[in-house]
Amino acid sequence: MKRGLSNYYFFMIAIILGFFITIQLKSNITSQGIIIIPKLLAMEKDVSNVEIEIKNLKKSINELELKLKEYETSLNQSGSIYNSMLDEWTKIRNYAGLEKVEGPGIIITLNDSSENLEDTDNPSLYIIHDIDVLEVVNELRAAGAEAISINGERVLGTSDIECGGPIIMIDGNRHATPFIIKAIGDPKALEASVLAPDSYVDFMEYTGIQVEVEKAEKIVMDGYKSNLKMKYQKSIKEGEKK
């Protein structure tokens, strides 16, 4: 009887131990699953970032290889890479707006209103302000203009267009009406943009400002003549801390 009771106790203890071992194993599996899944997702993201970096590096390598071939061709033909480097320098100056350029585009002529004003009219609404010229320039840029000039002066993204009383100041230079704005780009796209309903040109015409827009097959434009102004940005050398 005592032996049977002992066996019974051992049997019950074994069942209880088995129960706790099962619970512990399930708990470990669940907790490991919670830990592993975020790690797998993080690893997947790391792999994706590395693949993107490898792709960018391959693109840079291809570009450098093409540039090296250009230098080798120039060296074989003329014994120097000076001409290739000069062409590259000219392209950079061209993109920066510092070179004289030509191309198709449109010519916009803005002039003050010629309407006879009543005593109750606000005269400032019938003359061209700096903001008017700036808005037209911004619309041309948004339409894809590659080069823009105002009264023969090349304007860049950093150019200052400010009010100067009856005139406007562009990078410190005085300009009076009429304002002749030339833009090099797709003539159809540029014309469609400035003449679209609800465009700023449409608004100016509504107030009586005189606007003329014409397409041109060839526009010649000088490079930017004023000093380039960089007040805040500076270049970072390779390896320098950002």
Side-chain angles (χ1 to χ4, degrees), residues 4-18:
L5 188 59
S6 298
N7 290 337
Y8 176 76
Y9 284 141
F10 280 124
F11 179 70
M12 292 300 296
I13 291 171
I15 290 176
I16 294 170
L17 286 173

Side-chain angles (χ1 to χ4, degrees), residues 70-118:
E70 289 181 9
Y71 289 156
E72 288 175 348
T73 301
S74 179
L75 186 62
N76 292 332
Q77 291 178 350
S78 61
S80 171
I81 63 172
Y82 172 78
N83 290 333
S84 292
M85 295 185 72
L86 183 62
D87 289 341
E88 189 174 352
W89 174 244
T90 302
K91 287 180 182 178
I92 293 172
R93 287 180 55 84
N94 189 8
Y95 292 144
L98 304 178
E99 290 290 311
K100 189 174 184 178
V101 294
E102 67 176 26
I106 65 171
I107 301 173
I108 304 172
T109 303
L110 305 177
N111 218 332
D112 294 335
S113 174
S114 59
E115 294 184 9
N116 295 321
L117 303 183
E118 303 291 338

Side-chain angles (χ1 to χ4, degrees), residues 116-176:
N116 295 321
L117 303 183
E118 303 291 338
D119 294 337
T120 56
D121 290 332
N122 184 353
S124 65
L125 297 176
Y126 297 86
I127 61 175
I128 301 172
H129 300 274
D130 56 320
I131 187 62
D132 300 320
V133 176
L134 183 59
E135 289 289 348
V136 174
V137 168
N138 287 338
E139 285 191 351
L140 289 170
R141 285 180 178 144
E146 297 176 357
I148 300 173
S149 70
I150 302 173
N151 287 5
E153 181 172 351
R154 187 76 169 268
V155 294
L156 305 180
T158 56
S159 292
D160 293 326
I161 301 177
E162 301 173 336
C163 180
I167 61 170
I168 65 171
M169 306 288 290
I170 302 176
D171 290 326
N173 299 316
R174 298 160 61 92
H175 294 275

Side-chain angles (χ1 to χ4, degrees), residues 180-197:
I180 301 174
I181 303 173
K182 297 181 180 180
I184 293 177
D186 182 348
K188 290 183 179 179
L190 296 176
E191 183 184 48
S193 176
V194 297
L195 294 181

Side-chain angles (χ1 to χ4, degrees), residues 16-30:
I16 294 170
L17 286 173
F19 175 76
F20 281 113
I21 290 171
T22 302
I23 295 297
Q24 184 63 32
L25 287 173
K26 287 184 177 179
S27 176
N28 288 339
I29 291 171
T30 305

